[in-house]
Amino acid sequence: MCAPLVMEAVARTLSRRAFLGAGLGLLAGRALAQAEVRGKAFSKAVDLTHELSPEIPLFPGAEPMRITTLVTVRQNGYYGNRLDLWEHSGTHMDAPAHFAEGGLTAEKLPVESLIAPLAVIHIHERAAKDPDAQVNVDDILAYERQHGRLAKGAFVAMHSGWEARWRDPKAFLNQDASGTLHFPGFSPEAAEFLVREREIVGVGVDTLSLDHGPSKDFKAHVILLGAGKYGLENLANLAQVPPAGALLFVGGPKHRGASGGPVRAVAVW
Amino acid sequence: MCAPLVMEAVARTLSRRAFLGAGLGLLAGRALAQAEVRGKAFSKAVDLTHELSPEIPLFPGAEPMRITTLVTVRQNGYYGNRLDLWEHSGTHMDAPAHFAEGGLTAEKLPVESLIAPLAVIHIHERAAKDPDAQVNVDDILAYERQHGRLAKGAFVAMHSGWEARWRDPKAFLNQDASGTLHFPGFSPEAAEFLVREREIVGVGVDTLSLDHGPSKDFKAHVILLGAGKYGLENLANLAQVPPAGALLFVGGPKHRGASGGPVRAVAVW
């Protein structure tokens, strides 16, 4: 029971300096009950969001977004555009309802689930050799041996290094002659493990899909979204984030009936 | 120089409990150099975002958003929509470029500016009697007498109580017979004060516009955006947030050349 006293003492000491963030511990803290938490102070913010434009990689068959300038400062005194886009464009969320009938749509997710301890699992070395690489249960267990058990309420992101291909849609999709896509993702077994054995809020990838490219049944999607978790796809800058110890903010979509939609995702630590 | 040592001591004490958020102090701390900061721990998250739909209030002349369902789980195995919307719909950002030629577009704002100490100035009592009420310099000074000087890097929000009208677009716009709108906003003098005398990152309102309804020259917009600040309009739930001590996270738009766009805004404290 000494923690609150210490918190108070620090509050007094730091008073007019730097204490606003300290309490996030309580919010994230519940989620972090079993996590290995660093005592290190946060000093960085990294944007995990790619710029959204008509030129970005999209799943085959999806129409690119359109940005139509309606007014300009020079002609109208103010500048503004109309946007027309498929929900699953750019760095975006898959809400449970994207694959699960009756599942939550994005605007209905509890706001607390949009603030989560961020676990980044690196498989970039394997993915450099095998574009169809997957995050497997073994990768999760290896991560936990190094960084502690995944926190209750954690968000688990795959860093495969694929994000480096973002500006080259052909390389990002990596289709073979038969039209099959090749890029990394989560294996169905890993999805099942996260859903059954851990209490995560969601899963993210730096590729086009939670499932790896060759998947035809989108089983990781079905398992994760079917269990009420959300997904984030096309995440950026995961290489700049520590594997453990960062906090993720997901500026998720709030339109009615959202199967998902572009997000602004930021990591702080 | 004792603060870091104290932080370390707390980190050791709380270690596996609740400390992840503590360091946000450093990030927000720079911004909080002159703020009165509470020593109270964060335990709440409140969504400051209204649901976005074709039925929401819009500035006269703006076309409602369209949500077109393209695929459903039943028919296609997955559910998704296409969205078509004016950037300044719902709870949204005005980027500097919205009113300032050459100003920053939303996707180019420094990510650090999207995480800010939140100051909520309440004028709902005055606004209940006068729909054209404005946040004036006196309101800001009165706020500071009670809660301390506005922090460097703070975000200043007006709570006028107008958000209660959100579900009734006619009452939210409050047009008179001549077509003039009537709702609260920031006065140009208050905007000037915030820009010249304080180092804020942005300003928000629970109404349709940073300027109050009758404004024809949008002077508060011009002053604030012209100085590189961003605005948030149609904020929700500000009555549930403490006047001082919360941290704002703005999930701002990331599309290319954004004059603004829908945001997900969340307050934690």
Side-chain angles (χ1 to χ4, degrees):
Chain A
M1 296 311 293
C2 76
L5 288 175
V6 179
M7 297 292 275
E8 267 174 40
V10 176
R12 280 195 302 272
T13 308
L14 302 187
S15 66
R16 300 177 74 82
R17 281 200 65 220
F19 203 67
L20 180 62
L24 255 186
L26 277 202
L27 191 68
R30 281 196 296 271
L32 280 165
Q34 298 169 305
E36 185 189 337
V37 182
R38 294 173 178 197
K40 198 181 144 204
F42 291 175
S43 57
K44 290 199 179 169
V46 163
D47 194 350
L48 305 183
T49 324
H50 286 295
E51 184 180 284
L52 187 63
S53 81
E55 284 82 46
I56 60 169
L58 285 170
F59 227 86
E63 248 188 86
M65 80 178 297
R66 285 190 288 270
I67 305 178
T68 310
T69 300
L70 300 185
V71 285
T72 64
V73 173
R74 193 159 295 188
Q75 297 198 337
N76 313 85
Y78 65 111
Y79 163 56
N81 307 294
R82 199 164 173 100
L83 310 177
D84 176 5
L85 80 167
W86 164 237
E87 282 171 330
H88 300 265
S89 301
T91 303
H92 71 275
M93 178 187 283
D94 283 3
H98 184 40
F99 269 82
E101 218 176 345
L104 282 184
T105 44
E107 82 282 11
K108 293 204 158 70
L109 288 169
V111 68
E112 290 81 4
S113 71
L114 304 179
I115 305 168
L118 175 61
V120 183
I121 298 183
H122 289 281
I123 63 159
H124 55 281
E125 286 180 14
R126 196 160 78 241
K129 290 172 215 148
D130 173 14
D132 297 337
Q134 297 183 90
V135 174
N136 295 310
V137 176
D138 280 353
D139 296 306
I140 300 170
L141 295 174
Y143 174 92
E144 289 190 332
R145 277 194 299 275
Q146 213 179 334
H147 303 288
R149 192 179 160 98
L150 285 172
K152 189 176 166 184
F155 181 91
V156 184
M158 169 191 82
H159 172 250
S160 70
W162 213 255
E163 58 191 90
R165 300 180 179 221
W166 180 252
R167 285 170 195 282
D168 181 350
K170 218 171 160 179
F172 199 77
L173 267 71
N174 200 29
Q175 274 182 302
D176 65 23
S178 77
T180 299
L181 303 162
H182 296 281
F183 53 74
F186 277 83
S187 76
E189 295 74 21
E192 195 76 38
F193 177 83
L194 290 172
V195 158
R196 305 265 167 253
E197 307 294 334
R198 299 292 181 269
E199 297 180 64
I200 60 157
V201 292
V203 160
V205 291
D206 61 355
T207 58
L208 209 51
S209 172
L210 301 178
D211 287 273
H212 73 164
S215 172
K216 303 287 182 209
D217 54 10
F218 302 100
K219 238 179 166 173
H221 272 90
V222 171
I223 293 164
L224 289 159
L225 308 188
K229 314 305 178 189
Y230 64 87
L232 296 181
E233 293 167 336
N234 300 324
L235 285 166
N237 298 324
L238 285 169
Q240 296 179 34
V241 176
L247 190 71
L248 173 70
F249 282 100
V250 182
K254 192 70 196 261
H255 59 276
R256 184 187 299 163
S259 81
V263 301
R264 184 68 170 262
V266 176
V268 289
W269 71 95
Chain B
M1 297 310 292
C2 75
L5 287 174
V6 180
M7 296 292 275
E8 268 175 40
V10 177
R12 280 195 301 271
T13 308
L14 301 188
S15 64
R16 300 177 72 82
R17 281 198 65 219
F19 203 67
L20 180 62
L24 255 185
L26 278 201
L27 190 68
R30 281 196 296 271
L32 280 165
Q34 298 169 305
E36 185 189 337
V37 181
R38 295 171 177 197
K40 198 181 143 205
F42 291 175
S43 57
K44 289 199 179 168
V46 163
D47 194 349
L48 305 183
T49 324
H50 286 295
E51 185 180 283
L52 186 63
S53 81
E55 284 83 45
I56 61 168
L58 285 170
F59 227 87
E63 248 188 87
M65 79 178 297
R66 284 190 289 270
I67 304 178
T68 310
T69 300
L70 300 185
V71 285
T72 64
V73 173
R74 195 157 295 187
Q75 297 198 337
N76 312 84
Y78 65 110
Y79 163 56
N81 307 295
R82 200 165 172 101
L83 310 176
D84 176 4
L85 80 167
W86 163 238
E87 282 171 330
H88 301 264
S89 301
T91 304
H92 71 276
M93 178 187 283
D94 283 3
H98 184 41
F99 268 82
E101 217 176 347
L104 282 184
T105 44
E107 83 282 11
K108 294 204 157 70
L109 288 169
V111 69
E112 290 81 4
S113 71
L114 303 180
I115 304 167
L118 175 61
V120 183
I121 298 182
H122 289 282
I123 64 158
H124 55 281
E125 287 180 14
R126 196 159 80 240
K129 291 172 213 147
D130 174 14
D132 297 337
Q134 297 183 88
V135 175
N136 294 311
V137 175
D138 279 353
D139 297 306
I140 300 169
L141 295 175
Y143 174 91
E144 290 190 331
R145 276 193 299 275
Q146 214 179 333
H147 303 289
R149 192 178 160 99
L150 286 172
K152 191 176 166 183
F155 181 91
V156 184
M158 170 191 82
H159 171 250
S160 70
W162 213 254
E163 59 191 88
R165 301 180 179 220
W166 179 252
R167 284 169 196 283
D168 181 350
K170 218 171 159 179
F172 199 78
L173 267 72
N174 200 30
Q175 275 182 302
D176 64 23
S178 77
T180 299
L181 304 163
H182 296 281
F183 54 73
F186 278 83
S187 76
E189 294 73 21
E192 195 76 38
F193 177 83
L194 290 171
V195 158
R196 305 265 168 252
E197 307 293 334
R198 299 292 181 270
E199 296 180 64
I200 59 157
V201 292
V203 159
V205 292
D206 60 355
T207 58
L208 210 50
S209 171
L210 301 179
D211 287 274
H212 74 163
S215 172
K216 303 287 181 210
D217 53 11
F218 301 100
K219 238 179 165 172
H221 271 90
V222 171
I223 293 164
L224 289 160
L225 307 188
K229 314 306 178 189
Y230 64 88
L232 295 182
E233 293 167 335
N234 302 323
L235 285 166
N237 299 325
L238 285 170
Q240 297 178 35
V241 177
L247 190 71
L248 172 70
F249 167 69
V250 183
K254 192 71 196 259
H255 59 277
R256 184 188 299 164
S259 81
V263 301
R264 185 67 169 263
V266 177
V268 290
W269 71 95

